[in-house]
Amino acid sequence: MAKNNTPGAAAVPQHIGIIMDGNGRWAKKRGLPRSAGHTAGAANFRTITKYASSIGVKYLTLYAFSTENWNRPQEEVSALMRLFKQYLEEALRDFMDENIRVRFLGDVAAFSPELQALIHRVEEASAVKTGMVLNLAMNYGSRAEITRAMRTLASRVQKGDLQPEEITEEMISASLYTAGQPDPDLIIRPSGEERISNFLLWQSAYTEFVYMDVLWPDFKPKHLDEAIEKFCGRNRRFGGV
Ligand code: FPP
């Protein structure tokens, strides 16, 4: 269990999470509005998703919009919503050909009815796909996710279906948006920030973190390779020796 990886194809982590950070700074450096950074970031979302699928990643979880991102200026939120719509429409065509299954983590009921309908269409249409699972964390916050899981279990206790002492870690995992999926092996945060920002808190108990000093729109396939190489050099002990 302790031994990590030997470099090479077999070493590709099965589940990678990425906090797509740095779009605003990318735009600012160029004297552009923040929304231009998100546009560049969205284009990169597509490139990196396809690349991850091509190298054999089984699950890719991308943090696209947090529960806190609603606090950004209205104009920026609207620009992001437009991008989600545009890229999800593209994903319907594009990722379908690549055998990618798209799932959403988060409370999508907060989005416009139009975006919600698109989200459901993408999820339904790609449900038959057998390749990489792409999890898009949208209106996602890990604390909100854990709270929701606690409510689910608490209501079972209230109904008498479950005793408090019967609650296990597996039941909690199974009540999260990521139910049935393996925990992330590697989480990458570009942009130079070194924090987790309410992303996969429960699931990342034994995840390896790689922080990179590159802004998300500039994050290329070679950066993903570099992060994987760093991951390969780690000795995962999962609390053992
Ligand atoms: C964080 O950068 C980025 C976001 C809040 C948005 C990420 C969204 C995308 C890349 C679009 C993806 C599209 C789809 C369809 C999933 P920031 O704005 O916080 O950057 P800063 O820290 O430099 O200001």
Side-chain angles (χ1 to χ4, degrees), residues 20-26 34 38 41-42 45 63-64 69 72 76 80 83-84 87-88 136 138 216:
M20 303 187 286
D21 192 18
N23 295 346
R25 276 163 285 171
W26 184 92
R34 292 179 58 80
H38 294 312
F45 142 79
Y63 205 0
N69 286 153
R72 294 190 172 202
E76 182 172 345
L80 279 166
L83 284 169
F84 292 148
Y87 278 84
L88 290 183
L136 289 178
M138 283 175 53
W216 170 250

PDB file of all heavy atoms in Angstrom, residues 20-26 34 38 41-42 45 63-64 69 72 76 80 83-84 87-88 136 138 216, ligand 1:
ATOM      1  N   MET A  20      -8.737  25.552 -10.635  1.00  0.00           N
ATOM      2  CA  MET A  20      -8.355  26.361 -11.803  1.00  0.00           C
ATOM      3  C   MET A  20      -8.237  27.827 -11.383  1.00  0.00           C
ATOM      4  O   MET A  20      -9.158  28.611 -11.573  1.00  0.00           O
ATOM      5  CB  MET A  20      -9.407  26.191 -12.906  1.00  0.00           C
ATOM      6  CG  MET A  20      -9.621  24.738 -13.325  1.00  0.00           C
ATOM      7  SD  MET A  20     -10.699  24.556 -14.753  1.00  0.00           S
ATOM      8  CE  MET A  20     -12.312  24.910 -14.048  1.00  0.00           C
ATOM      9  N   ASP A  21      -7.103  28.188 -10.841  1.00  0.00           N
ATOM     10  CA  ASP A  21      -6.962  29.528 -10.260  1.00  0.00           C
ATOM     11  C   ASP A  21      -6.000  30.402 -11.067  1.00  0.00           C
ATOM     12  O   ASP A  21      -5.049  29.896 -11.656  1.00  0.00           O
ATOM     13  CB  ASP A  21      -6.436  29.362  -8.819  1.00  0.00           C
ATOM     14  CG  ASP A  21      -6.535  30.656  -8.029  1.00  0.00           C
ATOM     15  OD1 ASP A  21      -7.293  31.558  -8.430  1.00  0.00           O
ATOM     16  OD2 ASP A  21      -5.839  30.763  -7.005  1.00  0.00           O
ATOM     17  N   GLY A  22      -6.269  31.693 -11.045  1.00  0.00           N
ATOM     18  CA  GLY A  22      -5.324  32.648 -11.639  1.00  0.00           C
ATOM     19  C   GLY A  22      -5.838  33.341 -12.896  1.00  0.00           C
ATOM     20  O   GLY A  22      -5.091  34.089 -13.536  1.00  0.00           O
ATOM     21  N   ASN A  23      -7.104  33.120 -13.229  1.00  0.00           N
ATOM     22  CA  ASN A  23      -7.647  33.761 -14.442  1.00  0.00           C
ATOM     23  C   ASN A  23      -7.623  35.284 -14.330  1.00  0.00           C
ATOM     24  O   ASN A  23      -7.293  35.989 -15.287  1.00  0.00           O
ATOM     25  CB  ASN A  23      -9.109  33.344 -14.665  1.00  0.00           C
ATOM     26  CG  ASN A  23      -9.251  31.867 -14.945  1.00  0.00           C
ATOM     27  OD1 ASN A  23      -8.282  31.190 -15.233  1.00  0.00           O
ATOM     28  ND2 ASN A  23     -10.476  31.366 -14.860  1.00  0.00           N
ATOM     29  N   GLY A  24      -8.002  35.787 -13.161  1.00  0.00           N
ATOM     30  CA  GLY A  24      -8.066  37.250 -12.952  1.00  0.00           C
ATOM     31  C   GLY A  24      -6.688  37.871 -13.095  1.00  0.00           C
ATOM     32  O   GLY A  24      -6.519  38.886 -13.794  1.00  0.00           O
ATOM     33  N   ARG A  25      -5.685  37.246 -12.488  1.00  0.00           N
ATOM     34  CA  ARG A  25      -4.318  37.792 -12.566  1.00  0.00           C
ATOM     35  C   ARG A  25      -3.761  37.713 -13.985  1.00  0.00           C
ATOM     36  O   ARG A  25      -3.051  38.599 -14.441  1.00  0.00           O
ATOM     37  CB  ARG A  25      -3.393  37.047 -11.584  1.00  0.00           C
ATOM     38  CG  ARG A  25      -3.477  37.609 -10.177  1.00  0.00           C
ATOM     39  CD  ARG A  25      -2.922  36.650  -9.168  1.00  0.00           C
ATOM     40  NE  ARG A  25      -3.858  35.551  -8.928  1.00  0.00           N
ATOM     41  CZ  ARG A  25      -3.566  34.471  -8.217  1.00  0.00           C
ATOM     42  NH1 ARG A  25      -2.359  34.323  -7.709  1.00  0.00           N
ATOM     43  NH2 ARG A  25      -4.475  33.544  -8.021  1.00  0.00           N
ATOM     44  N   TRP A  26      -4.127  36.660 -14.672  1.00  0.00           N
ATOM     45  CA  TRP A  26      -3.689  36.499 -16.067  1.00  0.00           C
ATOM     46  C   TRP A  26      -4.200  37.681 -16.901  1.00  0.00           C
ATOM     47  O   TRP A  26      -3.471  38.254 -17.701  1.00  0.00           O
ATOM     48  CB  TRP A  26      -4.243  35.182 -16.603  1.00  0.00           C
ATOM     49  CG  TRP A  26      -3.816  34.805 -17.991  1.00  0.00           C
ATOM     50  CD1 TRP A  26      -2.743  34.046 -18.349  1.00  0.00           C
ATOM     51  CD2 TRP A  26      -4.470  35.175 -19.215  1.00  0.00           C
ATOM     52  NE1 TRP A  26      -2.684  33.916 -19.717  1.00  0.00           N
ATOM     53  CE2 TRP A  26      -3.728  34.598 -20.278  1.00  0.00           C
ATOM     54  CE3 TRP A  26      -5.605  35.935 -19.535  1.00  0.00           C
ATOM     55  CZ2 TRP A  26      -4.083  34.749 -21.617  1.00  0.00           C
ATOM     56  CZ3 TRP A  26      -5.960  36.090 -20.865  1.00  0.00           C
ATOM     57  CH2 TRP A  26      -5.208  35.499 -21.892  1.00  0.00           C
ATOM     58  N   ARG A  34     -11.272  41.065 -16.164  1.00  0.00           N
ATOM     59  CA  ARG A  34     -11.168  39.733 -15.546  1.00  0.00           C
ATOM     60  C   ARG A  34     -11.882  38.669 -16.383  1.00  0.00           C
ATOM     61  O   ARG A  34     -11.440  37.522 -16.456  1.00  0.00           O
ATOM     62  CB  ARG A  34     -11.771  39.766 -14.138  1.00  0.00           C
ATOM     63  CG  ARG A  34     -10.966  40.604 -13.146  1.00  0.00           C
ATOM     64  CD  ARG A  34     -11.638  40.604 -11.781  1.00  0.00           C
ATOM     65  NE  ARG A  34     -11.808  39.257 -11.256  1.00  0.00           N
ATOM     66  CZ  ARG A  34     -10.848  38.554 -10.655  1.00  0.00           C
ATOM     67  NH1 ARG A  34      -9.665  39.087 -10.476  1.00  0.00           N
ATOM     68  NH2 ARG A  34     -11.083  37.337 -10.217  1.00  0.00           N
ATOM     69  N   HIS A  38     -11.192  34.619 -17.647  1.00  0.00           N
ATOM     70  CA  HIS A  38     -12.060  33.440 -17.537  1.00  0.00           C
ATOM     71  C   HIS A  38     -12.271  32.794 -18.913  1.00  0.00           C
ATOM     72  O   HIS A  38     -12.360  31.577 -19.023  1.00  0.00           O
ATOM     73  CB  HIS A  38     -13.405  33.818 -16.911  1.00  0.00           C
ATOM     74  CG  HIS A  38     -13.271  34.257 -15.481  1.00  0.00           C
ATOM     75  ND1 HIS A  38     -12.543  33.553 -14.559  1.00  0.00           N
ATOM     76  CD2 HIS A  38     -13.762  35.337 -14.819  1.00  0.00           C
ATOM     77  CE1 HIS A  38     -12.586  34.172 -13.383  1.00  0.00           C
ATOM     78  NE2 HIS A  38     -13.321  35.258 -13.522  1.00  0.00           N
ATOM     79  N   GLY A  41      -9.308  30.880 -19.525  1.00  0.00           N
ATOM     80  CA  GLY A  41      -9.332  29.739 -18.606  1.00  0.00           C
ATOM     81  C   GLY A  41     -10.289  28.663 -19.081  1.00  0.00           C
ATOM     82  O   GLY A  41     -10.014  27.465 -18.963  1.00  0.00           O
ATOM     83  N   ALA A  42     -11.405  29.091 -19.649  1.00  0.00           N
ATOM     84  CA  ALA A  42     -12.402  28.122 -20.123  1.00  0.00           C
ATOM     85  C   ALA A  42     -11.857  27.352 -21.333  1.00  0.00           C
ATOM     86  O   ALA A  42     -12.051  26.140 -21.455  1.00  0.00           O
ATOM     87  CB  ALA A  42     -13.700  28.834 -20.468  1.00  0.00           C
ATOM     88  N   PHE A  45      -9.616  24.815 -20.026  1.00  0.00           N
ATOM     89  CA  PHE A  45     -10.374  23.719 -19.392  1.00  0.00           C
ATOM     90  C   PHE A  45     -10.570  22.580 -20.406  1.00  0.00           C
ATOM     91  O   PHE A  45     -10.391  21.408 -20.124  1.00  0.00           O
ATOM     92  CB  PHE A  45     -11.711  24.284 -18.878  1.00  0.00           C
ATOM     93  CG  PHE A  45     -12.909  23.392 -19.031  1.00  0.00           C
ATOM     94  CD1 PHE A  45     -13.116  22.347 -18.145  1.00  0.00           C
ATOM     95  CD2 PHE A  45     -13.822  23.588 -20.057  1.00  0.00           C
ATOM     96  CE1 PHE A  45     -14.220  21.509 -18.282  1.00  0.00           C
ATOM     97  CE2 PHE A  45     -14.921  22.773 -20.211  1.00  0.00           C
ATOM     98  CZ  PHE A  45     -15.115  21.719 -19.315  1.00  0.00           C
ATOM     99  N   TYR A  63     -12.446  22.442 -10.292  1.00  0.00           N
ATOM    100  CA  TYR A  63     -13.193  23.410  -9.463  1.00  0.00           C
ATOM    101  C   TYR A  63     -13.502  24.619 -10.339  1.00  0.00           C
ATOM    102  O   TYR A  63     -12.627  25.428 -10.634  1.00  0.00           O
ATOM    103  CB  TYR A  63     -12.290  23.811  -8.298  1.00  0.00           C
ATOM    104  CG  TYR A  63     -12.988  24.305  -7.041  1.00  0.00           C
ATOM    105  CD1 TYR A  63     -14.359  24.384  -6.932  1.00  0.00           C
ATOM    106  CD2 TYR A  63     -12.226  24.672  -5.940  1.00  0.00           C
ATOM    107  CE1 TYR A  63     -14.959  24.815  -5.755  1.00  0.00           C
ATOM    108  CE2 TYR A  63     -12.817  25.102  -4.755  1.00  0.00           C
ATOM    109  CZ  TYR A  63     -14.183  25.173  -4.673  1.00  0.00           C
ATOM    110  OH  TYR A  63     -14.769  25.601  -3.503  1.00  0.00           O
ATOM    111  N   ALA A  64     -14.747  24.720 -10.781  1.00  0.00           N
ATOM    112  CA  ALA A  64     -15.108  25.764 -11.739  1.00  0.00           C
ATOM    113  C   ALA A  64     -15.784  26.959 -11.077  1.00  0.00           C
ATOM    114  O   ALA A  64     -15.664  28.089 -11.545  1.00  0.00           O
ATOM    115  CB  ALA A  64     -16.025  25.191 -12.807  1.00  0.00           C
ATOM    116  N   ASN A  69     -18.113  32.084  -4.851  1.00  0.00           N
ATOM    117  CA  ASN A  69     -17.888  32.904  -6.051  1.00  0.00           C
ATOM    118  C   ASN A  69     -19.085  33.789  -6.421  1.00  0.00           C
ATOM    119  O   ASN A  69     -18.944  34.733  -7.189  1.00  0.00           O
ATOM    120  CB  ASN A  69     -17.497  32.036  -7.256  1.00  0.00           C
ATOM    121  CG  ASN A  69     -16.085  31.507  -7.197  1.00  0.00           C
ATOM    122  OD1 ASN A  69     -15.766  30.460  -7.754  1.00  0.00           O
ATOM    123  ND2 ASN A  69     -15.182  32.207  -6.508  1.00  0.00           N
ATOM    124  N   ARG A  72     -18.696  37.641  -6.126  1.00  0.00           N
ATOM    125  CA  ARG A  72     -17.924  38.474  -7.073  1.00  0.00           C
ATOM    126  C   ARG A  72     -18.848  39.484  -7.750  1.00  0.00           C
ATOM    127  O   ARG A  72     -20.069  39.315  -7.734  1.00  0.00           O
ATOM    128  CB  ARG A  72     -17.269  37.574  -8.112  1.00  0.00           C
ATOM    129  CG  ARG A  72     -16.238  36.686  -7.449  1.00  0.00           C
ATOM    130  CD  ARG A  72     -15.408  35.958  -8.440  1.00  0.00           C
ATOM    131  NE  ARG A  72     -14.342  35.281  -7.722  1.00  0.00           N
ATOM    132  CZ  ARG A  72     -13.200  34.895  -8.246  1.00  0.00           C
ATOM    133  NH1 ARG A  72     -12.962  35.114  -9.512  1.00  0.00           N
ATOM    134  NH2 ARG A  72     -12.291  34.285  -7.528  1.00  0.00           N
ATOM    135  N   GLU A  76     -18.900  39.914 -13.464  1.00  0.00           N
ATOM    136  CA  GLU A  76     -17.996  38.760 -13.564  1.00  0.00           C
ATOM    137  C   GLU A  76     -18.781  37.442 -13.447  1.00  0.00           C
ATOM    138  O   GLU A  76     -18.523  36.486 -14.190  1.00  0.00           O
ATOM    139  CB  GLU A  76     -16.927  38.849 -12.462  1.00  0.00           C
ATOM    140  CG  GLU A  76     -15.928  37.711 -12.549  1.00  0.00           C
ATOM    141  CD  GLU A  76     -14.733  37.860 -11.600  1.00  0.00           C
ATOM    142  OE1 GLU A  76     -14.508  38.978 -11.065  1.00  0.00           O
ATOM    143  OE2 GLU A  76     -14.046  36.845 -11.384  1.00  0.00           O
ATOM    144  N   LEU A  80     -19.081  34.477 -16.253  1.00  0.00           N
ATOM    145  CA  LEU A  80     -18.813  33.056 -15.970  1.00  0.00           C
ATOM    146  C   LEU A  80     -19.995  32.190 -16.388  1.00  0.00           C
ATOM    147  O   LEU A  80     -19.820  31.118 -16.975  1.00  0.00           O
ATOM    148  CB  LEU A  80     -18.486  32.861 -14.486  1.00  0.00           C
ATOM    149  CG  LEU A  80     -17.037  33.183 -14.100  1.00  0.00           C
ATOM    150  CD1 LEU A  80     -16.880  33.303 -12.588  1.00  0.00           C
ATOM    151  CD2 LEU A  80     -16.081  32.113 -14.638  1.00  0.00           C
ATOM    152  N   LEU A  83     -19.955  31.646 -20.011  1.00  0.00           N
ATOM    153  CA  LEU A  83     -18.914  30.679 -20.396  1.00  0.00           C
ATOM    154  C   LEU A  83     -19.336  29.254 -20.083  1.00  0.00           C
ATOM    155  O   LEU A  83     -19.095  28.336 -20.866  1.00  0.00           O
ATOM    156  CB  LEU A  83     -17.605  30.991 -19.665  1.00  0.00           C
ATOM    157  CG  LEU A  83     -16.820  32.171 -20.210  1.00  0.00           C
ATOM    158  CD1 LEU A  83     -15.695  32.547 -19.249  1.00  0.00           C
ATOM    159  CD2 LEU A  83     -16.235  31.836 -21.588  1.00  0.00           C
ATOM    160  N   PHE A  84     -19.969  29.069 -18.931  1.00  0.00           N
ATOM    161  CA  PHE A  84     -20.420  27.717 -18.580  1.00  0.00           C
ATOM    162  C   PHE A  84     -21.363  27.206 -19.658  1.00  0.00           C
ATOM    163  O   PHE A  84     -21.257  26.078 -20.117  1.00  0.00           O
ATOM    164  CB  PHE A  84     -21.126  27.696 -17.217  1.00  0.00           C
ATOM    165  CG  PHE A  84     -20.210  27.971 -16.053  1.00  0.00           C
ATOM    166  CD1 PHE A  84     -20.663  28.614 -14.905  1.00  0.00           C
ATOM    167  CD2 PHE A  84     -18.877  27.589 -16.096  1.00  0.00           C
ATOM    168  CE1 PHE A  84     -19.815  28.868 -13.833  1.00  0.00           C
ATOM    169  CE2 PHE A  84     -18.019  27.837 -15.026  1.00  0.00           C
ATOM    170  CZ  PHE A  84     -18.492  28.479 -13.898  1.00  0.00           C
ATOM    171  N   TYR A  87     -19.397  26.514 -22.945  1.00  0.00           N
ATOM    172  CA  TYR A  87     -18.500  25.350 -22.896  1.00  0.00           C
ATOM    173  C   TYR A  87     -19.235  24.048 -22.613  1.00  0.00           C
ATOM    174  O   TYR A  87     -18.786  22.984 -23.029  1.00  0.00           O
ATOM    175  CB  TYR A  87     -17.333  25.602 -21.944  1.00  0.00           C
ATOM    176  CG  TYR A  87     -16.276  26.393 -22.657  1.00  0.00           C
ATOM    177  CD1 TYR A  87     -16.364  27.772 -22.740  1.00  0.00           C
ATOM    178  CD2 TYR A  87     -15.256  25.749 -23.347  1.00  0.00           C
ATOM    179  CE1 TYR A  87     -15.436  28.505 -23.463  1.00  0.00           C
ATOM    180  CE2 TYR A  87     -14.319  26.465 -24.068  1.00  0.00           C
ATOM    181  CZ  TYR A  87     -14.414  27.850 -24.121  1.00  0.00           C
ATOM    182  OH  TYR A  87     -13.498  28.552 -24.860  1.00  0.00           O
ATOM    183  N   LEU A  88     -20.358  24.140 -21.925  1.00  0.00           N
ATOM    184  CA  LEU A  88     -21.125  22.903 -21.703  1.00  0.00           C
ATOM    185  C   LEU A  88     -21.789  22.467 -23.009  1.00  0.00           C
ATOM    186  O   LEU A  88     -21.890  21.280 -23.296  1.00  0.00           O
ATOM    187  CB  LEU A  88     -22.153  23.087 -20.592  1.00  0.00           C
ATOM    188  CG  LEU A  88     -21.548  23.226 -19.199  1.00  0.00           C
ATOM    189  CD1 LEU A  88     -22.628  23.329 -18.139  1.00  0.00           C
ATOM    190  CD2 LEU A  88     -20.630  22.049 -18.875  1.00  0.00           C
ATOM    191  N   LEU A 136     -17.346  18.283 -12.722  1.00  0.00           N
ATOM    192  CA  LEU A 136     -17.261  19.741 -12.700  1.00  0.00           C
ATOM    193  C   LEU A 136     -17.869  20.232 -11.401  1.00  0.00           C
ATOM    194  O   LEU A 136     -19.069  20.032 -11.161  1.00  0.00           O
ATOM    195  CB  LEU A 136     -18.006  20.324 -13.900  1.00  0.00           C
ATOM    196  CG  LEU A 136     -17.332  20.092 -15.256  1.00  0.00           C
ATOM    197  CD1 LEU A 136     -18.183  20.657 -16.384  1.00  0.00           C
ATOM    198  CD2 LEU A 136     -15.948  20.724 -15.277  1.00  0.00           C
ATOM    199  N   MET A 138     -19.384  22.871  -9.513  1.00  0.00           N
ATOM    200  CA  MET A 138     -20.028  24.152  -9.833  1.00  0.00           C
ATOM    201  C   MET A 138     -21.049  24.478  -8.754  1.00  0.00           C
ATOM    202  O   MET A 138     -21.930  23.677  -8.478  1.00  0.00           O
ATOM    203  CB  MET A 138     -20.711  24.050 -11.207  1.00  0.00           C
ATOM    204  CG  MET A 138     -19.677  24.139 -12.337  1.00  0.00           C
ATOM    205  SD  MET A 138     -20.353  23.896 -14.002  1.00  0.00           S
ATOM    206  CE  MET A 138     -21.686  25.045 -14.092  1.00  0.00           C
ATOM    207  N   TRP A 216      -3.701  29.691 -14.345  1.00  0.00           N
ATOM    208  CA  TRP A 216      -4.473  28.641 -15.022  1.00  0.00           C
ATOM    209  C   TRP A 216      -4.509  28.781 -16.560  1.00  0.00           C
ATOM    210  O   TRP A 216      -4.285  27.798 -17.274  1.00  0.00           O
ATOM    211  CB  TRP A 216      -5.888  28.528 -14.434  1.00  0.00           C
ATOM    212  CG  TRP A 216      -6.763  27.630 -15.255  1.00  0.00           C
ATOM    213  CD1 TRP A 216      -7.813  27.984 -16.031  1.00  0.00           C
ATOM    214  CD2 TRP A 216      -6.605  26.205 -15.413  1.00  0.00           C
ATOM    215  NE1 TRP A 216      -8.332  26.876 -16.663  1.00  0.00           N
ATOM    216  CE2 TRP A 216      -7.602  25.784 -16.306  1.00  0.00           C
ATOM    217  CE3 TRP A 216      -5.701  25.267 -14.894  1.00  0.00           C
ATOM    218  CZ2 TRP A 216      -7.745  24.450 -16.678  1.00  0.00           C
ATOM    219  CZ3 TRP A 216      -5.838  23.932 -15.281  1.00  0.00           C
ATOM    220  CH2 TRP A 216      -6.849  23.540 -16.168  1.00  0.00           C
TER     221      TRP A 216
HETATM  222  C1  FPP B   1     -10.381  31.342 -10.352  1.00  0.00           C
HETATM  223  O1  FPP B   1      -9.533  32.365 -10.859  1.00  0.00           O
HETATM  224  C2  FPP B   1     -11.248  30.870 -11.434  1.00  0.00           C
HETATM  225  C3  FPP B   1     -12.610  30.877 -11.392  1.00  0.00           C
HETATM  226  C4  FPP B   1     -13.378  31.390 -10.265  1.00  0.00           C
HETATM  227  C5  FPP B   1     -13.406  30.388 -12.544  1.00  0.00           C
HETATM  228  C6  FPP B   1     -12.894  29.150 -13.200  1.00  0.00           C
HETATM  229  C7  FPP B   1     -13.737  28.871 -14.380  1.00  0.00           C
HETATM  230  C8  FPP B   1     -13.287  28.555 -15.589  1.00  0.00           C
HETATM  231  C9  FPP B   1     -11.854  28.359 -15.910  1.00  0.00           C
HETATM  232  C10 FPP B   1     -14.279  28.297 -16.681  1.00  0.00           C
HETATM  233  C11 FPP B   1     -14.459  26.801 -16.823  1.00  0.00           C
HETATM  234  C12 FPP B   1     -15.568  26.481 -17.701  1.00  0.00           C
HETATM  235  C13 FPP B   1     -16.332  25.367 -17.565  1.00  0.00           C
HETATM  236  C14 FPP B   1     -17.417  25.096 -18.515  1.00  0.00           C
HETATM  237  C15 FPP B   1     -16.144  24.410 -16.466  1.00  0.00           C
HETATM  238  P1  FPP B   1      -9.612  33.807 -10.191  1.00  0.00           P
HETATM  239  O2  FPP B   1     -10.644  34.591 -10.909  1.00  0.00           O
HETATM  240  O3  FPP B   1      -9.845  33.656  -8.723  1.00  0.00           O
HETATM  241  O4  FPP B   1      -8.180  34.356 -10.488  1.00  0.00           O
HETATM  242  P2  FPP B   1      -7.382  35.385  -9.577  1.00  0.00           P
HETATM  243  O5  FPP B   1      -7.126  34.685  -8.258  1.00  0.00           O
HETATM  244  O6  FPP B   1      -6.130  35.594 -10.364  1.00  0.00           O
HETATM  245  O7  FPP B   1      -8.218  36.615  -9.434  1.00  0.00           O
END
